[in-house]
Amino acid sequence: MSVTVDGDKSVSVPQRMRRLLRGPRPESVPVVVGTACTVVGLIDVAAGVFPRFRHSRMHTLAEVLPGALGPFAAALSLSAGVLLLLLAHGLKRHKRRAWRAAVVLLPAGAVAQFAYRHSIVGVLVSLTLCALLLRHRDQFRALPDPRSRWRALANFVLLGASSLALGLVIVSVHPGRVVGDPSIADRLQHVLYGLFGIEGPVDYAGRTSWTVAYSLGALGLLTAVTTIYLAFRPEHPAARLTEDDESRLRALLATHGGRDSLGHFALRRDKAVVFSPSGKAAVCYRVVSGVMLAGGDPIGDVEAWPGAIERFMDEAKAHSWTPAVMGCSERGGEVWTRETGLTALELGDEAVVDVADFSLAGRAMRNVRQMVGRIERNGYETRVRRARDIGPTELERIRRAAADWRGTDTERGFSMALGRIGDPSDGDCVIATAHLPGSGDGPHGDLKAVLHFVPWGRDGMSLELMRRDRSADPGMNELLIVASLQAAGKLGVARVSLNFAMFRSALARGERLGAGPVLRCWRGLLIFLSRWFQIESLYKFNAKFRPRWEPRFVVFRTSRDLPRIGIAAMQAEGFVNFSLPRPFRSRAQRPCGHTLRTAQEHEVRAA
């Protein structure tokens, strides 16, 4: 009898039993060590903060921690605990620098155990964990993540706030030793002074004052040292698309760009790229919170896709990033899963309209026909042109209007946004504009709405951006989409990709007669989430134009990675923002994407 285990196609049951008896694989050592550091770090912090903990029944366990007793007990315990907590995540991600720091810290902890506590058990535990790291050092070779020196400011704010909170706890956990009745303001002042090594207004009986002073001083020193280290360490900036990379990608798109409607979005200049060994295929990506996000299918010859995918996976492994692909096609998902062993999950459907089949006639198009007719009767005019055919003055006005009409302060977009309008290298893009003659008093003249399409091979275009003046009549998007579809033939366009509808099939099946309770419950949840993400309204907006639906997939390693990938994707798309406030960000850190085709909430709501 044989079973499939961890990708092995034929593993007998006895072999499986032997694997279990051998214990965890070497690859799991970083996770085990990282988890151990987290647990030990928490216990170490507790031992340094709470005096009763050091004399409780957990005393035997606390013995294995560096510096649990002695004149500098609390300070050493807090320092070791905080450092272990800081290192734990890096160890789990196989980071080389975290390994080096842990290898230095553990022997130092062993020395402290022997010098201050004479604990043989503590020395053995520290050295055993250090030996485990040394034995499996080949598992810790991940390179550093992209970063900037703004990380130092973030560390100072976060670790400083944590030190302040811990300091208040330390000052307050000795009620029987406090002299007098200090107020909250006095305690806070004592903590702030203590972080800088200055004696504060709170006084304690006996040696407690020394314990509190050393503990606060250690927290302040730790905050200062880690901030200085992050500020002066070598910088590893986030990768950007170079001019050479962009020219090579454009050459691939000129030959193979018709395969994927998202191909042109690979030219976003805040993405990095890896090419196949032959140079005939490429994968573009961005790293967000340790997740290596690729968007759409690989670019180039399908036969060369495996080489580009292999380079992508090698890069992810070298940095211990979590690989993921957002919005790939069914064919792209098949290649990704076959070449990497990853898993694919349907994410939604892309609305594609064949120009030859589009018509406003018929009952199904009645609402769109009436809305467009009403707007045209109000005097609105439309123009659909290639970007290269628009003068520089008008192009600048369109670009400025699109920026002013953005519905949010945060730029949105990653996998389905280009991040620019009117760039000289994007002359093949199509720009549709709506005008109201006689209303030129505003800052943008008679311009009332803008649609921006990027090329999709030689005979297609893909919707990238929808913007409208909030004072314009509702239905501007419908008007411009219809105008673009009607003018597509003259532009040599045979197919138009519209918005991407997440979970479209679940919404469609859930509203049908006979849908089961599980499907109806799932649809109800999606409708509830639509209050914030406009999932249902975007699907219904797309459905107005009677498109054909092309499924899109997310590719991931394991289901455990999905929450992390989801958060990283929302960060990349602009729905979640963990960056510093705008005045404190460098130009390289500011997002450049205009909008995501799934993020047209304000536009769809207005429609």
Side-chain angles (χ1 to χ4, degrees), residues 104-151:
V104 172
L105 179 63
L106 288 171
V111 171
Q113 289 276 6
F114 185 78
Y116 292 107
R117 309 190 48 225
H118 308 289
S119 172
I120 302 299
V121 175
V123 172
L124 292 177
V125 169
S126 298
L127 294 182
T128 300
L129 191 56
C130 183
L132 187 64
L133 287 173
L134 292 172
R135 179 181 177 183
H136 297 280
R137 58 184 177 275
D138 57 327
Q139 300 295 322
F140 299 88
R141 298 196 178 276
L143 300 176
D145 291 343
R147 59 174 181 258
S148 69
R149 290 191 172 89
W150 289 105
R151 180 80 178 272

Side-chain angles (χ1 to χ4, degrees), residues 3 48 138 272 289 435 494 514-515:
V3 294
D138 57 327
S289 299
H435 304 262

Side-chain angles (χ1 to χ4, degrees), residues 13-271:
V13 173
Q15 287 176 322
R16 173 64 170 167
M17 294 300 297
R18 285 196 295 270
R19 286 186 177 184
L20 292 175
L21 291 174
R22 283 199 300 266
R25 295 182 177 183
E27 292 83 358
S28 65
V29 170
V31 177
V32 173
V33 172
T35 303
C37 284
T38 301
V39 174
V40 172
L42 290 173
I43 297 175
D44 211 351
V45 170
V49 171
F50 302 104
R52 293 182 180 179
F53 180 85
R54 294 194 299 273
H55 303 289
S56 66
R57 296 180 181 178
M58 296 292 291
H59 178 75
T60 304
L61 178 60
E63 270 193 344
V64 304
L65 305 175
L69 298 174
F72 309 108
L76 290 172
S77 185
L78 280 173
S79 300
V82 173
L83 287 174
L84 286 173
L85 290 175
L86 293 175
L87 292 174
H89 183 63
L91 290 172
K92 289 181 180 180
R93 295 186 58 206
H94 304 241
K95 293 299 183 180
R96 186 67 173 177
R97 289 190 175 182
W99 176 87
R100 291 172 178 170
V103 167
V104 172
L105 179 63
L106 288 171
V111 171
Q113 289 276 6
F114 185 78
Y116 292 107
R117 309 190 48 225
H118 308 289
S119 172
I120 302 299
V121 175
V123 172
L124 292 177
V125 169
S126 298
L127 294 182
T128 300
L129 191 56
C130 183
L132 187 64
L133 287 173
L134 292 172
R135 179 181 177 183
H136 297 280
R137 58 184 177 275
D138 57 327
Q139 300 295 322
F140 299 88
R141 298 196 178 276
L143 300 176
D145 291 343
R147 59 174 181 258
S148 69
R149 290 191 172 89
W150 289 105
R151 180 80 178 272
L153 178 59
N155 177 84
F156 177 78
V157 172
L158 295 177
L159 194 54
S162 301
S163 299
L164 186 63
L166 275 176
L168 284 173
V169 174
I170 292 171
V171 170
S172 304
V173 294
H174 305 276
R177 298 278 185 171
V178 179
V179 177
D181 186 19
S183 64
I184 296 296
D186 292 334
R187 296 170 191 264
L188 182 60
Q189 184 180 358
H190 191 86
V191 173
L192 291 174
Y193 282 10
L195 293 177
F196 289 94
I198 303 174
E199 186 177 356
V202 181
D203 195 14
Y204 299 88
R207 299 177 58 187
T208 303
S209 59
W210 289 99
T211 301
V212 172
Y214 280 122
S215 299
L216 295 177
L219 289 174
L221 182 63
L222 193 62
T223 302
V225 169
T226 54
T227 301
I228 292 172
Y229 166 74
L230 292 173
F232 290 98
R233 67 176 176 172
E235 193 170 5
H236 291 260
R240 290 290 185 268
L241 206 65
T242 65
E243 292 184 4
D244 179 63
D245 292 337
E246 186 173 340
S247 62
R248 293 175 67 184
L249 287 173
R250 289 186 182 276
L252 293 177
L253 288 171
T255 307
H256 306 282
R259 297 186 184 277
D260 186 14
S261 64
L262 308 187
H264 199 84
F265 299 122
L267 299 177
R268 282 180 62 102
R269 287 164 185 161
D270 59 351
K271 288 184 178 180

Side-chain angles (χ1 to χ4, degrees), residues 499-557:
N499 296 297
F500 172 75
M502 292 186 64
F503 308 114
R504 196 275 316 176
S505 58
L507 289 170
R509 292 197 303 265
E511 63 184 355
R512 292 176 184 171
L513 182 66
V518 175
L519 191 56
R520 287 184 179 275
C521 181
W522 173 228
R523 179 177 179 273
L525 177 61
L526 293 177
I527 293 175
F528 174 75
L529 294 175
S530 294
R531 298 180 181 181
W532 296 276
F533 298 102
Q534 300 301 311
I535 299 172
E536 183 189 28
S537 58
L538 189 57
Y539 155 58
K540 291 184 176 180
F541 177 82
N542 292 333
K544 291 180 181 180
F545 305 98
R546 315 300 294 175
R548 56 182 170 89
W549 298 101
E550 298 290 340
R552 290 281 173 174
F553 298 84
V554 56
V555 179
F556 55 96
R557 187 165 49 194

